[in-house]
Amino acid sequence: MSPKVSDKYKNEKKKALLQAAKRVFLTKGYTKATMQDVMDEAGISRGALYSYFDNVEHLYRELLQFEDQQDVLFFSPSDDETSWQQITNWVHKQQKEMEQIEQTLTQANSEYFLSIREVKKQESNSYSTTRYDLIVDALTVLFQSGTKKGELQPRLPAEMISRYLVSFIDGLMLDTAHLGAEKTKVAEQVEALVFSLREMLGPASEK
């Protein structure tokens, strides 16, 4: 009888496999990556990988969900930072990623959503909506929390500001993936973004 594997072990193993998969997708993109590539990168057997993931699409979706959750955790209201500090820290984190765009999943994300949209348009749109709503909702909660604490004095509804921020970052990230950070002038655009957020959110710490 084989020993029982704990849930903690399985979760840690799954995270390790997702990180190995991320390295593959960063190098090959989504459309050219294979399950064999991930097996080779992780140094595991076919059976071990397929016990966690059904195929490349399933694997990539799980990776996206993991990455999305990291952003949601970033927006959790904090006692150590004001909501304005949290949001500007996140924006500058996005800037660093865009300045090293080849180390992000942006290009692979584009390939993934275009690929599955052709095959399963309804499901693709559903998941795209879920991802978008997840980040918008997390930002909205952060802005509302900051307002209740007196840290922010927004001039527009929190949800509207959240949608603006997500669209700005997603658009700039995608443009930079195709054109490069120098062409899209990432630093200058982020500076303009922070300026506009300051006007919309009215952080008390800067008054």
Side-chain angles (χ1 to χ4, degrees):
M1 182 176 175
S2 58
K4 184 178 179 179
V5 179
S6 70
D7 289 339
K8 180 179 180 181
Y9 172 84
K10 288 190 288 187
N11 288 335
E12 291 301 317
K13 184 65 175 179
K14 184 176 181 179
K15 287 181 182 178
L17 292 176
L18 289 174
Q19 292 308 307
K22 183 176 181 177
R23 293 192 293 272
V24 171
F25 290 124
L26 286 172
T27 302
K28 292 198 164 187
Y30 172 73
T31 56
K32 293 182 180 179
T34 67
M35 293 293 271
Q36 185 62 55
D37 292 329
V38 179
M39 290 176 222
D40 294 341
E41 179 66 28
I44 61 170
S45 67
R46 176 175 294 272
L49 182 60
Y50 277 90
S51 68
Y52 288 91
F53 310 104
D54 299 332
N55 49 42
V56 172
E57 181 184 331
H58 180 208
L59 176 54
Y60 199 81
R61 177 173 294 206
E62 291 278 345
L63 176 59
L64 283 178
Q65 290 173 336
F66 178 79
E67 296 274 308
D68 293 341
Q69 196 58 42
Q70 305 314 299
D71 274 338
V72 170
L73 291 174
F74 201 98
F75 299 140
S76 299
S78 170
D79 293 329
D80 299 324
E81 296 178 314
T82 67
S83 52
W84 175 249
Q85 289 172 329
Q86 283 182 264
I87 197 60
T88 52
N89 286 343
W90 181 76
V91 167
H92 287 116
K93 175 175 174 287
Q94 304 309 302
Q95 177 183 345
K96 288 180 181 178
E97 291 185 5
M98 283 184 266
E99 289 172 344
Q100 300 175 326
I101 197 70
E102 68 282 352
Q103 297 177 30
T104 74
L105 291 171
T106 305
Q107 185 62 44
N109 284 349
S110 299
E111 294 175 8
Y112 170 75
F113 283 110
L114 287 172
S115 175
I116 64 174
R117 186 175 293 117
E118 293 299 320
V119 179
K120 294 185 278 188
K121 186 174 183 179
Q122 185 175 357
E123 182 177 344
S124 170
N125 288 342
S126 175
Y127 186 58
S128 298
T129 300
T130 298
R131 294 188 74 226
Y132 177 79
D133 288 344
L134 183 71
I135 303 301
V136 167
D137 289 348
L139 281 167
T140 300
V141 169
L142 176 61
F143 295 153
Q144 290 172 339
S145 174
T147 301
K148 288 179 181 178
K149 292 179 181 178
E151 297 170 354
L152 302 175
Q153 298 175 8
R155 297 182 177 181
L156 295 172
E159 183 182 331
M160 186 183 299
I161 301 172
S162 299
R163 293 182 186 279
Y164 164 79
L165 176 54
V166 171
S167 295
F168 188 105
I169 290 294
D170 283 354
L172 183 55
M173 187 81 75
L174 188 59
D175 282 347
T176 302
H178 292 298
L179 303 173
E182 184 175 347
K183 180 67 174 179
T184 57
K185 298 188 181 298
V186 167
E188 291 89 337
Q189 291 223 53
V190 167
E191 183 179 353
L193 172 62
V194 172
F195 175 85
S196 63
L197 287 174
R198 185 182 292 110
E199 292 299 306
M200 286 187 279
L201 289 167
S205 60
E206 301 211 350
K207 290 185 179 299

